Amino acid sequence: MSNSKTAKADIDVLVSEVGPRDGLQSVKRTMPTTAKLDWIAALADAGLREIEVGSFVSPKLLPQMADCADVVAGARPIDGLTVLALVPNLKGAERAFAAGVDKVTMPVSASRAHSKSNINMTPEQAVEQVAAVCRLRAERPDYRHIEVEAGVATAFGCTMEGAVSEDWVMQLAGMLVKAGADSVCLSDTTGYANPAQIKRMFKRLHAEIGDKCGGAHLHNTRGQGLANVVAALDAGVMTFDSSQGGLGGCPYAPGATGNIVTEDLVFLLESMGLRTGIDLDKLIGARSKVLAGLPGETLYGNVADAGLPKGFQYASGGRPA
Ligand code: ZN
């Protein structure tokens, strides 16, 4: 379903690494720029083709992301990598486009309370920002290749509002496509989703917006992360966000910690016969780069702890090149 330039024929599922953004923004300490770039290079070397390298938000709000333009500049030369950054509004997109990103992702919260606290806008105002960013892209020939993704945050429930209307989420997705977004993802920002809900909503999303249907951004807060991945696969989702070592969460949704773990996600997909293009040994090796930049940080993940099973076979039959 992804229309990302990186979703090439040699892979079945695109794994989009969000650790350097979603992960690092929830850690109080700031990883030095050179350490971020070492980590990103190691992830790309392991076969990751899309990495969310940071967030163009106010450095006052998230000092950990203050070097985002430098990180984008440093990641750009990496061959075959889609350099993705989060932008909350037009101002952020102006900075991201000038820095040379390939793609931006814009969070639009379905929950009004979360939207207010996360980006200080109503959902409707956030949709208007997506439209403004798409207009900015159309204005300049050197910006036209940049992909604009919208992510519906708190799509499966909100720590502040509780249940979120599925009809409203679908309506919002339609509004985002109308605003010019290339794809619309659904995010379980709070870790509330269950597999039945995931399957139902992604099927509905596909019926609603067709090939603009984007990926799934899932958290493992209540242990449902990988079960939700399998449910999303059943609904035809082909792009998943995840974070190395499960780093991250959402600082504005209290208690909503823990992206799904990239290492475990890749193992799941490859075991199920779905090619990711990612080398698990190299991926597990990249954990040392997180620890080099953030000494003593806690990393999660079962596959890194247990190791690969004896005789493990990649979906392609051989090791990813
Ligand atoms: Zn997240």
Side-chain angles (χ1 to χ4, degrees):
M1 283 180 195
S2 170
N3 55 1
S4 170
K5 71 175 187 184
T6 49
K8 297 195 184 96
D10 62 326
I11 59 170
D12 301 306
V13 175
L14 178 70
V15 175
S16 183
E17 169 66 40
V18 300
R21 196 280 300 171
D22 205 336
L24 291 183
Q25 79 170 32
S26 72
V27 176
K28 282 210 171 65
R29 291 181 286 166
T30 298
M31 187 185 274
T33 310
T34 50
K36 288 184 185 179
L37 288 170
D38 279 353
W39 180 26
I40 290 164
L43 288 166
D45 184 56
L48 269 301
R49 296 167 190 218
E50 181 173 288
I51 302 178
E52 199 168 313
V53 301
S55 177
F56 284 91
V57 288
S58 160
K60 274 183 223 140
L61 285 177
L62 288 174
Q64 306 95 314
M65 297 288 127
D67 62 352
C68 197
D70 294 332
V71 177
V72 168
R76 275 185 71 179
I78 299 173
D79 201 32
L81 180 69
T82 296
V83 178
L84 167 64
L86 183 143
V87 300
N89 49 33
L90 178 61
K91 211 171 135 196
E94 283 167 353
R95 288 169 59 207
F97 287 11
V101 294
D102 298 306
K103 180 173 173 180
V104 292
T105 186
M106 299 188 71
V108 175
S109 212
S111 150
R112 288 185 184 278
H114 182 265
S115 188
K116 199 78 197 159
S117 79
N118 196 24
I119 51 175
N120 198 27
M121 283 188 267
T122 65
E124 290 81 0
Q125 286 170 325
V127 172
E128 187 37 54
Q129 289 294 307
V130 173
V133 169
C134 292
R135 283 195 293 272
L136 171 69
R137 168 177 64 173
E139 275 164 20
R140 292 221 348 213
D142 53 331
Y143 286 170
R144 276 186 205 140
H145 68 284
I146 300 171
E147 234 185 281
V148 177
E149 170 191 283
V152 180
T154 62
F156 304 92
C158 172
T159 48
M160 298 168 194
E161 290 190 357
V164 169
S165 156
E166 293 186 11
D167 290 344
W168 166 236
V169 171
M170 295 306 144
Q171 199 186 325
L172 200 50
M175 287 159 67
L176 288 164
V177 169
K178 217 174 250 175
D182 299 307
S183 60
V184 179
C185 305
L186 298 183
S187 299
D188 184 19
T189 318
T190 55
Y192 275 25
N194 65 72
Q197 184 187 19
I198 289 275
K199 194 168 171 178
R200 180 174 70 242
M201 285 187 64
F202 273 102
K203 279 188 166 171
R204 253 190 99 172
L205 183 69
H206 195 251
E208 195 82 22
I209 62 171
D211 64 358
K212 306 277 184 194
C213 185
H217 179 102
L218 304 170
H219 283 203
N220 197 39
T221 318
R222 289 174 183 78
Q224 310 303 301
L226 292 185
N228 286 339
V229 169
V230 176
L233 286 168
D234 276 349
V237 175
M238 300 312 278
T239 302
F240 292 91
D241 290 356
S242 61
S243 177
Q244 172 139 61
L247 208 61
C250 179
Y252 304 106
T257 53
N259 288 286
I260 56 169
V261 176
T262 307
E263 297 87 320
D264 294 354
L265 172 67
V266 170
F267 176 74
L268 173 84
L269 295 168
E270 291 284 343
S271 308
M272 289 177 74
L274 296 164
R275 297 166 302 165
T276 63
I278 296 165
D279 182 310
L280 274 161
D281 289 317
K282 283 187 177 177
L283 179 62
I284 291 165
R287 289 162 78 98
S288 67
K289 303 291 185 185
V290 183
L291 298 174
L294 292 172
E297 192 64 33
T298 305
L299 295 180
Y300 303 94
N302 296 92
V303 173
D305 282 350
L308 294 177
K310 189 174 178 183
F312 174 74
Q313 289 277 342
Y314 283 93
S316 63
R319 259 184 121 77

